[in-house]
């Protein structure tokens, strides 16, 4: 029996909202995505870096578009670009999309790319995905009414439930290490969420900030903790193997924020399915392209169900065994 844990994923930490100018409140065809022109739609996809979770968003988005009838070059054309975590390249990609007069919509994947797109692209809809806290990232005026040409889907993760899972599989855990990128707004938000949850669960968070993915393994090695928690941090997840090796050497579990990281070797999580997140974003794109909705009034969406992911091989390597009832209820068990 597959287990899907229902979690009400609330709006992100409140922050001073950024009211995007240039097209705020616009009802023009350029801003809504509504167009009477014949021919295929052109969608730019800007991805911040390659790792399985973000790659899954692209897969899910294209699948969702295909399911809605956008198949073949006569219906849709994709212009895909990946910044590989380079900020200059990231800015260049969205700048190119902004100047492309044939572009109908842009999908910006991950917080840094969404922020760059929001600053540069004002005349066509921008959909973001895999953004933890759109308010803290200053992408929208509010989650219910974004206010300009930018809206999308959030991958806010249930941090408290994830740390509760740690307590179930390692009851004697007291300290949890988090390696995170100082340059990603979403990461700092998740560290604070983890601290808040840890205080309720009798855990202590020890953190180490990095500025590049090449620093992940060294940072992890320097933390003397009982377990690691890996947030949806692009720099860390793209270099996850180094942290996983350190955890194996220390014989401690790794709780990740996403299911794809469990597949790669993290111990367990209650995580989001990023392919489904991509499909959900595609459904929003279809409404915008057909003129059935406007980005300024289209609420930000989240996935409110998370699934239990377990990696039995990773657990065995550190001397842990999952309870039989947990194994039977997992949505995915990797060996």
């Amino acid at each position: 029996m597959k287990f899907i844990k229902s979690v009400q994923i609330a709006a992100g930490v409140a922050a001073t909202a950024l009211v995007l100018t240039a097209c705020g409140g616009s009802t023009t065809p350029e801003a809504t995505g509504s167009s009477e022109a014949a021919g295929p739609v052109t969608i730019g996809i800007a991805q911040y870096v390659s790792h399985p979770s973000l790659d899954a968003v692209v897969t899910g988005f294209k699948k969702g578009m295909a399911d809605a009838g956008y198949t073949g070059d006569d219906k849709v054309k994709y212009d895909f670009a990946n910044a590989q975590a380079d900020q200059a390249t990231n800015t260049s990609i969205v700048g190119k999309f902004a100047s492309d007069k044939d572009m109908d919509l842009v999908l910006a994947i991950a917080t840094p790319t969404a922020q760059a797109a929001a600053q540069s692209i004002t005349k066509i809809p921008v959909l973001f995905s895999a953004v933890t806290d759109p308010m803290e990232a200053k992408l929208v005026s509010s989650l219910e009414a974004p206010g300009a040409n930018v809206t999308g889907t959030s991958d806010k993760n249930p941090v408290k439930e994830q740390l509760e899972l740690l307590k179930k599989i390692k009851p004697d855990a007291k300290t949890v290490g988090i390696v995170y990128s100082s340059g990603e707004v979403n990461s700092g938000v998740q560290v604070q969420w983890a601290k808040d949850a840890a205080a309720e669960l009798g855990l202590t968070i020890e953190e180490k900030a990095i500025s590049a993915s090449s620093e992940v393994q060294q940072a992890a090695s320097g933390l003397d903790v009982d377990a690691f928690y890996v947030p949806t941090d692009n720099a860390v997840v793209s270099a996850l193997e180094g942290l996983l090796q350190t955890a194996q050497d220390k014989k401690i579990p790794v709780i990740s924020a996403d299911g794809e990281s469990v597949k790669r070797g993290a111990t367990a999580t209650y995580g989001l399915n990023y392919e489904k997140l991509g499909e959900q974003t595609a459904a929003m794109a279809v409404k915008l392209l057909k003129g059935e909705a406007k980005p300024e009034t289209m609420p930000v969406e989240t996935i409110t169900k998370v699934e239990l992911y377990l990696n039995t091989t990773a657990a065995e390597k550190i001397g842990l065994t999952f309870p039989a009832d947990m194994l039977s209820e997992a949505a995915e068990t990797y060996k």
Side-chain angles (χ1 to χ4, degrees):
M1 177 180 67
K2 290 189 175 181
F3 177 70
I4 299 180
K5 180 179 177 68
S6 179
V7 178
Q8 190 64 37
I9 302 185
V13 179
T16 302
L18 172 68
V19 180
L20 298 176
T21 58
C23 72
S26 171
T27 56
T28 64
E30 290 83 357
T32 63
S34 175
S35 174
E36 298 299 325
V41 298
T42 300
I43 299 175
I45 300 178
Q47 183 172 328
Y48 183 61
V49 68
S50 293
H51 62 69
S53 295
L54 300 189
D55 296 344
V57 172
V58 178
T59 299
F61 183 82
K62 289 184 175 180
K63 179 180 183 299
M65 294 299 295
D67 289 345
Y70 289 86
T71 58
D73 290 343
D74 60 327
K75 297 290 181 63
V76 62
K77 292 183 179 180
Y78 294 108
D79 187 346
F80 176 81
N82 191 319
Q84 296 298 359
D86 183 85
Q87 193 55 49
T89 304
N90 192 40
T91 302
S92 176
I93 289 169
V94 298
K96 172 181 175 292
F97 287 170
S99 62
D100 188 339
K101 295 182 179 179
D102 294 325
M103 195 71 65
D104 295 296
L105 180 145
V106 168
L107 172 64
I109 302 174
T111 301
T113 297
Q115 290 175 312
Q119 292 174 2
S120 298
I121 302 170
T122 59
K123 294 184 178 180
I124 60 173
V126 173
L127 278 176
F128 56 76
S129 191
V131 170
T132 303
D133 191 337
M135 290 288 290
E136 185 70 19
K138 297 180 171 58
L139 294 172
V140 295
S141 296
S142 75
L143 298 176
E144 295 76 19
N149 66 313
V150 181
T151 187
T153 56
S154 169
D155 63 347
K156 182 181 180 184
N157 49 306
V159 177
K160 183 177 180 180
E161 285 77 8
Q162 291 164 344
L163 292 181
E164 286 175 336
L165 178 61
L166 169 63
K167 295 287 285 184
K168 290 178 182 178
I169 64 177
K170 190 175 174 60
D172 60 343
K174 298 296 182 183
T175 56
V176 180
I178 302 179
V179 178
Y180 73 100
S181 171
S182 59
E184 295 188 37
V185 172
N186 52 298
S187 302
V189 168
Q190 290 174 84
V191 171
Q192 187 57 53
W193 290 344
K195 288 180 177 179
D196 294 341
E200 297 181 33
L201 299 172
L203 296 168
T204 299
I205 300 297
E206 296 187 16
E207 61 192 272
K208 183 68 175 179
I210 61 166
S211 58
S213 58
S214 59
E215 301 170 8
V216 169
Q217 187 166 15
Q218 182 178 357
S221 298
L223 290 171
D224 184 14
V225 292
D226 299 321
F228 284 116
Y229 175 71
V230 180
T232 53
D233 180 298
N234 295 293
V236 177
V237 175
S238 65
L240 182 63
E241 282 68 25
L243 184 146
L244 294 176
Q245 183 59 57
T246 298
Q248 185 177 328
D249 294 342
K250 292 175 179 284
K251 301 293 183 183
I252 60 175
V254 177
I255 302 297
S256 62
D258 67 287
E260 288 292 336
S261 291
V262 177
K263 185 177 182 179
R264 293 167 68 187
T267 312
T269 195
Y270 286 127
L272 307 181
N273 184 313
Y274 277 79
E275 186 168 332
K276 290 181 181 178
L277 189 68
E279 292 180 30
Q280 188 171 346
T281 313
M284 296 177 73
V286 170
K287 291 179 182 178
L288 291 172
L289 291 168
K290 289 184 175 181
E292 297 173 355
K294 300 175 182 178
E296 62 264 32
T297 56
M298 176 178 267
V300 173
E301 297 184 10
T302 62
I303 288 182
T304 55
K305 290 182 179 179
V306 292
E307 300 175 342
L308 176 60
Y309 296 84
L310 304 174
N311 190 315
T312 55
T313 299
E316 289 170 1
K317 287 180 179 179
I318 59 173
L320 289 179
T321 302
F322 295 119
D325 59 342
M326 187 178 290
L327 286 168
S328 66
E329 293 175 345
E332 295 287 349
T333 302
Y334 301 110
K335 299 180 180 180

